[in-house]
Amino acid sequence: MNNKVLVITGMHRSGTSLITHWLYKCGLHLGEQFLGAGIGNTDGHFEDLDFVEAHRHILLDLFGSGDGTIDTPICSISEEQLDSLRTLVQKKQQAQPQWSWKDPRTCLFLRTYRELLPGAKYLVILRDYRSVVSSLISRHHKSTALKYAAIGGIRQLIWKYYRSDIRKKKLLQQYSESYLKTWILYNREIQQHLLIQPAGTCLVVDQSRLSATSQEVFDHLTSQWQLDLTYHDFAKVYKEKLLSEVWDVATYVKDKRLLEEATALQAKLLLHALLK
């Protein structure tokens, strides 16, 4: 089929929800039912629930958890799992001549989608590991803060002036290394994908440059890839205040070789960025 398919992908907390929200405003079809809003995504995730649930079910079968915060690649999936994704893709192909989806877990299934959608185009969003890991940990911290805000009174004051910093340190100790490993896995998969995909089928954008390059991104999607879109002012969906504070996660990573690997991988990926 000659459908125009855009796969929006990138690690969790990398700005994929932001750019997907914008493209939705530009008229891109992204599914019938979306994952709702959450901590750090007050406008919603703009994730097609069909793909989210399909990915979650496979990850749950393979790893016992569907959230995708893993550090082991998916080497293979069963024929039944492959058929479920194939059926989903075929349903989308039959429903819309131009369509897209976004789910960060897609990074883990890029090998499969190369097979199922050989003509797809890929919009890849990159974000540095310190910001991503900080943002993932910040969600835990904000979740606790919301609970104390609901309680109010003296307990909220104790949280604000005493327990908040203690909780932050514990979360950094607990999650910094594991989330860094997840960042490395996702971005390894992205790097491999970029090396395999034919020239002209991937557009790589640095998250920190999204606001400055929105017009160039739009022009590429419409002129180079012939997507039927209507420009929407990016500034109307961009909310800088929602960006999480970047914390000193490196201090809490015991295996310093992971930091070296992440830094090197980050540099290599940025070489692919078409809009610098």
Side-chain angles (χ1 to χ4, degrees):
M1 300 180 72
N2 295 319
N3 302 63
K4 298 174 184 177
V5 184
L6 178 67
V7 183
I8 303 169
T9 193
M11 170 61 185
H12 296 272
R13 314 305 299 162
S14 290
T16 55
S17 293
L18 170 61
I19 200 164
T20 306
H21 181 186
W22 172 59
L23 290 173
Y24 175 77
K25 291 290 187 179
C26 291
L28 185 63
H29 183 83
L30 289 154
E32 302 298 335
Q33 189 175 7
F34 296 153
L35 183 68
I39 296 174
N41 283 91
T42 55
D43 289 329
H45 294 79
F46 293 87
E47 294 177 4
D48 185 337
L49 275 175
D50 289 337
F51 281 98
V52 170
E53 292 305 316
H55 295 159
R56 280 179 171 171
H57 285 143
I58 294 174
L59 290 169
L60 187 62
D61 287 344
L62 295 176
F63 300 99
S65 173
D67 66 7
T69 53
I70 58 176
D71 58 21
T72 303
I74 299 173
C75 295
S76 63
I77 60 177
S78 69
E79 282 300 318
E80 181 180 355
Q81 292 165 340
L82 179 60
D83 282 342
S84 70
L85 294 181
R86 182 183 291 112
T87 300
L88 175 56
V89 164
Q90 289 173 347
K91 182 181 77 170
K92 300 293 183 180
Q93 290 280 63
Q94 292 166 1
Q96 298 289 336
Q98 175 180 288
W99 60 281
S100 179
W101 85 90
K102 169 259 179 178
D103 175 23
R105 300 167 193 81
T106 300
C107 292
L108 304 172
F109 297 91
L110 287 172
R111 305 176 198 192
T112 300
Y113 289 117
R114 285 197 292 270
E115 173 187 340
L116 297 180
L117 288 166
K121 303 295 193 298
Y122 292 84
L123 176 57
V124 181
I125 312 301
L126 304 177
R127 193 181 188 191
D128 68 282
Y129 71 84
R130 291 178 66 246
S131 297
V132 168
V133 174
S134 295
S135 184
L136 286 167
I137 296 173
S138 178
R139 283 199 302 186
H140 294 289
H141 193 262
K142 289 177 181 177
S143 177
T144 306
L146 287 173
K147 292 177 183 178
Y148 278 100
I151 295 171
I154 188 67
R155 293 185 66 182
Q156 185 181 8
L157 291 174
I158 293 173
W159 160 259
K160 182 177 180 179
Y161 293 106
Y162 177 64
R163 292 188 179 276
S164 177
D165 287 341
I166 295 174
R167 173 67 171 160
K168 174 182 173 180
K169 184 175 181 179
K170 287 183 177 179
L171 290 171
L172 284 163
Q173 292 171 334
Q174 181 177 357
Y175 289 110
S176 291
E177 188 160 313
S178 63
Y179 282 155
L180 179 59
K181 289 179 179 179
T182 299
W183 183 95
I184 289 172
L185 170 62
Y186 275 63
N187 285 279
R188 276 181 187 162
E189 295 294 327
I190 289 172
Q191 182 190 34
Q192 182 68 15
H193 186 70
L194 295 175
L195 293 173
I196 292 174
Q197 277 293 110
T201 61
C202 296
L203 178 63
V204 183
V205 187
D206 181 357
Q207 179 269 346
S208 67
R209 299 281 296 155
L210 283 177
S211 184
T213 58
S214 60
Q215 184 64 61
E216 288 91 335
V217 171
F218 181 84
D219 291 344
H220 189 96
L221 298 182
T222 54
S223 299
Q224 299 297 318
W225 291 349
Q226 300 296 303
L227 293 179
D228 183 13
L229 303 171
T230 302
Y231 187 80
H232 181 83
D233 187 357
F234 188 83
K236 292 182 178 180
V237 299
Y238 179 60
K239 297 179 180 179
E240 188 174 1
K241 65 180 181 180
L242 293 180
L243 294 176
S244 300
E245 179 185 356
V246 179
W247 294 341
D248 182 21
V249 298
T251 299
Y252 299 90
V253 175
K254 295 179 180 179
D255 187 350
K256 301 305 179 184
R257 292 173 299 179
L258 293 172
L259 296 171
E260 295 173 2
E261 181 178 0
T263 299
L265 179 56
Q266 195 164 277
K268 290 177 182 178
L269 283 168
L270 285 174
L271 293 176
H272 292 274
L274 301 181
L275 305 170
K276 298 179 183 178

